[in-house]
Amino acid sequence: VSAPATYEQALLALATQRDDVVVLTADNRAHVPRVPEFLSPRFIDFGICTQTMVGAAAGLALRGRTPVVHAVATSLTLRAFELIRTDIGIPQLPLKLVGFVPGLLSEVDRPTHQAIDDVAVMRAIPGMQVLCPADLGELVKALPQVVASPAPAYVRYTDAPAAVEHNAPFVIGKAEVLSQEEGVSILTYGPLLREAEQARQVLVARGVPVHLVNMRSLEPVDEQAILDAVGPAELVVTLEDRFGRGGLHTIVAETCLTHRFAPRVLGLHEELSGARVAERILNVLCDREAGA
Amino acid sequence: VNAVPVALPDSEPAGPLTGPSPAGGAARARGDDRRRRDLAALALRVRERCLRLTAGDGSFIGASLSCTDLLVHLYSRVLNVHPDTVDDPDRDYLLLSKGHDVPALYATLAELGFFPAPLLAHHLRTTGSTDWRPSRSVPGVELHSGSLGHLLAVGIGIALDIRMRGGRNRVFVVLDDGGLDEGSVWESCLVAAAQHLDNLVAVVASNGLRATCRTEELLPLEPLPARFEAFGWACRTVDGHSFAGLDEAFAALAEPPDRPTAVVARTAWGKGVPSLEDLADRRFARFTDLEVEALVRELHGDGPAPLVSERKVVQ
C-alpha cells in the first residue's frame, strides 16, 4: 500500500482505520469528491447549512465520533463561529475543522471569500489548535496526528506543492527551522513558505544571512522557536496572508512581551511575493523604511 | 417513574381526567388517573423548587413554571433515561435548547434522583454548578445551552449517530417559541427533514411571551404547526399542561414515518402561580424570602402573594 498522495486519500485511509471518523461538508466536495462513495453513511453533506453542520458535529462528537468538517474557510470560521466557540470550544470536543481556500487564496473572489481573519478568531477560542501546513505533503502527514488529538482543531487546507525540502516531521506545536543564521529571521506559515524561501535566496545572494522558520502550528505555538529566531536577529519578519492583527505578528509580540524582548519587527501581510518581501527587508536594513 | 411510555388509545381525550376511557377498560383508566395524579404531585414539588430558586439573585421563573409539566411528563413518561443510565449510549436524550428555564430541569432531575436535591441550595454560588443556564457538570444535563438556536443542530448530530449505529433511542430537543426567531433553528429543520430523522423530536414550549412582549407582536411565526409541516416535519399541537394530552401527543411519534416530529405544546408563562401567570415583567424575578414563602403558599392554593419586588424587564 503506497502512502496517501492526496488529502482525500489520507482522510479515507484514516476513516478505514478508525470508525469514529465521520466526514461532514457544507455543499463543498472539491477536495473530497470520492469520500461519499467510499464512506457513506459516515459522510454527510449538510448543504449550505454551516451552523447546523457545526452543531451536528458537536452532537456526533458527544456520541464518541471524531468529525472532520469541511467548508469554505470564511463561512466555517465566521458564519458558524458562535457554535464553534460554544458547542465545541467550551466542552473541548475533538472536532476537526478544515477550512478550504484560506487566506488570500481566494483572491479573485474578492473580500467576501478571503479568510484573512480565520486565524485570529480560531486562536481566540481556548484550547483550539490552529494548524497551517505549508503544502499538501505536510497536510497529509499532519492529518493522522490531528485526528488522533483529543483537542478541537482548525486546519487551513492547502494543496500547494512543496517549496522546500522539509527537515523535520510535522508535529503539532512544533515549528520547523529551515535555515539557522543570525541576521534576518523570517517567520511564516502555510503556502507563503514558498515566497519566504524565495526572499531568503535573494537576501542570501545580497550577503544577508537569513533564519527561516516554518511555524506550522500557531496554536499551540512553538515559543522556543520564536525566541530562538528573535534573540540574535537584527530584524524579525512575520509573513502571513491575512490581517496583521491576531495572527503570527501578534503571537510574536505576545511571546516577546512575555519574555521581555523588544526586537525590531517587520510585519508583512500585504505585499507577499518573494521578490517584494526581500526588497522590503532590504529597505528596512538600509534604513530606507522603518521597521514596524 | 421512568417507565417506557405506554401508548394510550388515540381516542383518549386531552384535558380533564374525568370520564371513562373508551378503549382501555376501567382498570386501565384508574391506572392512568393514578399516574397522572402522581405526575401532578411531582409537578407541584418541581414548581415549589423553582419558586425557591428565585430567592437571592433570582432565576427565570416565568418560563420555568410554563415548562414544568412538559419536563415532568417527558422524564416520567416518555424518556428512557434514569439516574443509572445518564451515560448509557442507548438512553433517550433531552436537550434543553431554551436554557433559561433550567430551574425546571434541575428541579425535575433532583426530584427524580439524578442528583441530590440539597445541591440546589448552592444555586448561583461558586460552591455549586446550578446557575442561570444549564451546566453539563450536573448529572442528567446533556450539554450546556442558553444561546438560542444551537441545540436542534446538536440533536441532529446525536440522532444521526444513533441511526448510524442502528440504535432505537430518540432525541428530544426542547425549544421555546421566542427562540424560533433564530435562523439556525430553521436551517436545522431543513437538515432534519432532508435526513429523514424520525428519531428526532422538537418540543416547542410555546408560552406566547418573549423578553419584553407577546412573541407574536414582534416577529409573527404562527401558525407554528404549518411552519413545521412546510419544512417537512410531522407536527402535533397539545396543551402543555395536560398530562393526558401529552400522553397522547408523545405516544404516536414518527407518524408519518421518516420524518422528524415537532410537538407544539401550548403553555402558560408562570403556570400554577396566578400572581405570576402571563406577566412578561415577571419573566425573571428576584424575590425576597418572604415573597417566596407567600408564592409557595399561593402555589398550594392560598390567595395571591403580596409582591413588592421590582418588576424586571431584562434580557
Side-chain angles (χ1 to χ4, degrees):
Chain A
V1 181
S2 57
T6 66
Y7 172 76
E8 180 172 57
Q9 287 170 13
L11 188 57
L12 283 170
L14 269 174
T16 307
Q17 293 159 19
R18 308 178 46 139
D19 65 8
D20 61 313
V21 171
V22 291
V23 176
L24 315 184
T25 187
D27 202 23
N28 192 326
R29 305 184 188 189
H31 304 297
V32 288
R34 300 189 67 191
V35 168
E37 153 193 356
F38 285 105
L39 209 57
S40 188
R42 280 195 283 147
F43 169 85
I44 305 157
D45 193 334
F46 284 77
I48 313 167
C49 295
T50 317
Q51 301 174 78
T52 299
M53 172 176 69
V54 168
L60 286 157
L62 287 172
R63 292 277 298 175
R65 300 283 186 180
T66 303
V68 185
V69 179
H70 305 84
V72 171
T74 42
S75 322
L76 184 58
T77 58
L78 300 178
R79 177 68 69 97
F81 178 75
E82 199 213 356
L83 288 97
I84 296 174
R85 168 208 174 269
T86 300
D87 304 326
I88 298 167
I90 293 174
Q92 290 287 292
L93 295 176
L95 245 93
K96 314 303 168 181
L97 304 163
V98 180
F100 291 154
V101 281
L104 295 169
L105 286 176
S106 194
E107 194 175 14
V108 292
D109 281 317
R110 308 296 299 167
T112 59
H113 282 58
Q114 292 165 0
I116 50 183
D117 22 34
D118 56 339
V119 168
V121 297
M122 290 296 102
R123 235 191 114 232
I125 299 173
M128 176 69 72
Q129 295 176 346
V130 179
L131 306 171
C132 308
D135 50 57
L136 179 60
E138 280 202 348
L139 174 62
V140 164
K141 288 198 177 70
L143 197 60
Q145 274 178 64
V146 175
V147 169
S149 163
Y154 170 63
V155 181
R156 275 186 144 202
Y157 178 89
T158 179
D159 51 12
V164 299
E165 200 166 315
H166 294 290
N167 61 33
F170 191 104
V171 177
I172 294 170
K174 287 285 175 198
E176 177 190 40
V177 179
L178 289 160
S179 69
Q180 202 159 2
E181 302 281 346
E182 289 188 18
V184 173
S185 290
I186 304 178
L187 296 92
T188 192
Y189 56 88
L192 277 181
L193 182 59
R194 172 176 298 275
E195 307 305 322
E197 168 60 14
Q198 276 176 14
R200 187 192 69 83
Q201 289 173 15
V202 171
L203 292 166
V204 168
R206 300 285 293 268
V208 178
V210 174
H211 183 100
L212 178 59
V213 183
N214 171 20
M215 292 304 298
R216 287 179 167 168
S217 172
L218 297 182
E219 181 62 46
V221 74
D222 189 341
E223 277 209 357
Q224 193 57 51
I226 294 175
L227 295 174
D228 290 347
V230 164
E234 188 182 339
L235 176 67
V236 178
V237 179
T238 57
L239 179 63
E240 48 192 327
D241 57 345
R242 55 176 314 284
F243 278 139
R245 289 180 185 169
L248 181 55
H249 191 256
T250 302
I251 292 169
V252 169
E254 289 169 356
T255 307
C256 287
L257 189 63
T258 304
H259 296 275
R260 305 177 71 174
F261 281 105
R264 196 175 184 193
V265 180
L266 176 65
L268 293 179
H269 49 86
E270 285 167 352
E271 295 167 296
L272 302 171
S273 77
R276 185 67 183 133
V277 167
E279 194 184 331
R280 293 282 307 273
I281 290 170
L282 287 167
N283 282 348
V284 173
L285 290 178
C286 299
D287 289 326
R288 290 193 295 264
E289 181 183 335
Chain B
V1 282
N2 293 290
V4 173
V6 177
L8 290 173
D10 285 341
S11 52
E12 169 92 8
L17 304 171
T18 52
S21 175
R28 173 134 173 213
R30 279 196 300 276
D32 290 341
D33 282 356
R34 195 172 54 246
R35 267 199 299 275
R36 287 169 196 155
R37 276 196 300 275
D38 291 347
L39 290 188
L42 175 57
L44 199 63
R45 296 198 298 276
V46 168
R47 285 196 166 88
E48 184 171 333
R49 289 193 184 280
C50 289
L51 286 172
R52 296 195 186 285
L53 294 178
T54 60
D57 285 322
S59 65
F60 291 87
I61 186 65
S64 300
L65 295 176
S66 75
C67 204
T68 294
D69 294 324
L70 206 45
L71 290 175
V72 161
H73 183 87
L74 283 164
Y75 275 98
S76 303
R77 297 276 291 151
V78 181
L79 295 167
N80 181 24
V81 63
H82 55 84
D84 298 332
T85 62
V86 290
D87 294 318
D88 185 339
D90 293 329
R91 71 186 179 281
D92 285 337
Y93 287 72
L94 183 138
L95 302 169
L96 193 70
S97 183
K98 48 184 262 145
H100 57 274
D101 57 356
V102 69
L105 178 66
Y106 283 156
T108 303
L109 293 174
E111 283 292 336
L112 295 177
F114 284 76
F115 61 86
L119 288 183
L120 292 175
H122 296 255
H123 186 57
L124 307 184
R125 293 189 201 165
T126 51
T127 50
S129 307
T130 63
D131 299 314
W132 284 343
R133 316 283 173 183
S135 164
R136 205 178 157 210
S137 61
V138 176
V141 175
E142 299 287 357
L143 188 61
H144 51 255
S145 62
S147 179
L148 300 172
H150 286 221
L151 292 198
L152 190 54
V154 174
I156 285 173
I158 295 171
L160 282 167
D161 184 67
I162 290 170
R163 187 171 67 186
M164 275 185 238
R165 296 177 195 272
R168 302 194 55 166
N169 38 333
R170 298 173 300 175
V171 183
F172 294 77
V173 183
V174 180
L175 306 164
D176 58 324
D177 46 3
L180 298 181
D181 291 358
E182 288 285 1
S184 53
V185 172
W186 300 100
E187 202 189 71
S188 292
C189 283
L190 281 179
V191 172
Q195 292 288 337
H196 305 288
L197 289 175
D198 54 12
N199 56 355
L200 178 70
V201 183
V203 183
V204 183
S206 168
N207 56 36
L209 283 171
R210 56 171 68 245
T212 52
C213 62
R214 303 253 155 227
T215 309
E216 286 294 287
E217 276 174 35
L218 203 54
L219 293 177
L221 266 173
E222 295 288 355
L224 281 179
R227 300 262 179 202
F228 280 99
E229 280 162 6
F231 274 77
W233 288 52
C235 187
R236 60 208 60 193
T237 307
V238 62
D239 173 353
H241 302 301
S242 158
F243 292 119
L246 290 166
D247 262 335
E248 197 176 339
F250 287 109
L253 293 173
E255 287 294 333
D258 299 331
R259 287 186 194 197
T261 302
V263 176
V264 176
R266 303 297 185 184
T267 60
W269 198 322
K271 177 73 177 179
V273 185
S275 295
L276 304 177
E277 262 178 40
D278 209 31
L279 295 175
D281 55 5
R282 293 295 188 192
R283 169 177 185 262
F284 178 90
R286 288 187 183 101
F287 291 125
T288 64
D289 291 345
L290 279 175
E291 286 173 320
V292 168
E293 292 313 318
L295 286 164
V296 168
R297 285 195 300 274
E298 184 180 338
L299 174 71
H300 289 286
D302 272 15
L307 300 177
V308 293
S309 285
E310 187 189 352
R311 290 170 180 270
K312 292 190 184 302
V313 180
V314 293
Q315 82 80 24

